[in-house]
């Protein structure tokens, strides 16, 4: 990756436009600021508008995919983990637990990004934009969702363990 | 309605002319010195930078923090001060 320092003003301007960063003229005093913003934007968003090799995976999904309504979020998670083959819509997609439990039915247009099943149905432009800024479209940050998931899972496991131990309690009164 | 300081009100009340950079709201001795070292020795030069950034408060705040080490409060105060001055006189 070429350093931003060595790029010409025009190139910086083009990069800023590509990332959608509003900017003024590139001058001595404004340039360092824009370089910094570009660096942040690049780090946050590794993909540029050009399709990279990452995207070849998603190319398979260019057909329309209809997601089935979730009955309950928990059920979905179980089925997603346990019987992925039984869900035809998902068989050709890498399974990751949906970070947001949204019981919607939605169609994804051609550039569907499975890891983000939020209902960005309306316009293909929105989806493309959302794909670029993959993680910034959420209301609740991703890591918090994973954390909550882990806490709930851990809690359920804890309950399960406790239930099991009732049968063979080490605290039986000696007869 | 956010309370503005006397400094802010004084600055916004009239054309800035040749006022020093420390006349800006949020810019005190320390920050003023840092700005002067970078060549921003008058308020109108800082205004120039604000205008170059298309009067974008966020960009200007970020620039000011990077250039002078100002904290968010002071940078925002300066940005607001310039914005109101521009609204009145530009």
């Amino acid at each position: 990756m070429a350093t931003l320092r060595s790029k010409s003003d025009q190139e910086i301007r083009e990069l800023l436009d590509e990332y959608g960063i509003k900017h003024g003229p590139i001058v001595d005093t404004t340039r360092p600021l824009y370089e910094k913003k570009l660096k942040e934007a690049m780090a946050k968003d590794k993909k540029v508008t050009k399709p990279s090799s990452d995207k070849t995976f998603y190319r398979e999904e260019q057909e329309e995919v209809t997601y089935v309504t979730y009955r309950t979020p928990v059920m979905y998670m179980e089925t997603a983990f346990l019987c992925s083959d039984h869900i035809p819509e998902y068989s050709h997609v890498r399974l990751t637990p949906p970070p947001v439990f949204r019981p919607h039915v939605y169609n994804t247009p051609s550039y569907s990004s499975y890891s983000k099943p939020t209902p960005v149905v309306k316009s293909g432009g929105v989806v493309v934009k959302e794909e670029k800024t993959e993680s910034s479209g959420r209301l609740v940050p991703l890591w918090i969702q994973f954390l909550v998931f882990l806490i709930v899972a851990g809690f359920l496991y804890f309950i399960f363990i406790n239930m099991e131990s009732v049968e063979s309690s080490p605290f039986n009164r000696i007869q | 309605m956010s309370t503005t300081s006397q400094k802010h009100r004084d600055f916004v009340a009239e054309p800035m002319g040749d006022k020093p950079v420390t006349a800006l709201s949020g810019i005190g001795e320390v920050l003023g010195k840092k700005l002067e070292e970078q060549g921003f020795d008058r308020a109108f030069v800082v205004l120039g930078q604000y205008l170059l950034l298309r009067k974008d408060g966020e960009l200007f705040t970020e620039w000011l923090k990077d250039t002078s080490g100002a904290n968010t409060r002071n940078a925002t105060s300066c940005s607001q001060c310039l914005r109101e001055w521009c609204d009145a006189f530009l």
Side-chain angles (χ1 to χ4, degrees), chain B residues 20-68:
Chain B
V21 74
T22 45
L24 283 162
S25 171
I27 308 292
E29 288 265 352
V30 175
L31 296 176
K33 193 114 177 265
K34 295 228 181 89
L35 283 171
E36 281 167 23
E37 280 166 18
Q38 310 261 343
F40 297 87
D41 56 344
R42 295 279 161 203
F44 65 75
V45 188
V46 179
L47 170 70
Q49 182 68 12
Y50 178 69
L51 298 176
L52 271 180
L53 294 170
R54 300 178 59 90
K55 301 198 275 177
D56 183 322
E58 269 183 44
L59 269 180
F60 177 77
T61 311
E62 201 174 331
W63 171 82
L64 190 56
K65 281 155 85 172
D66 288 345
T67 311
S68 67

Side-chain angles (χ1 to χ4, degrees), chain B residues 9-26:
Chain B
R9 289 193 286 273
D10 287 344
F11 190 84
V12 172
E14 56 181 1
M16 64 175 81
D18 263 343
K19 283 185 188 165
V21 74
T22 45
L24 283 162
S25 171

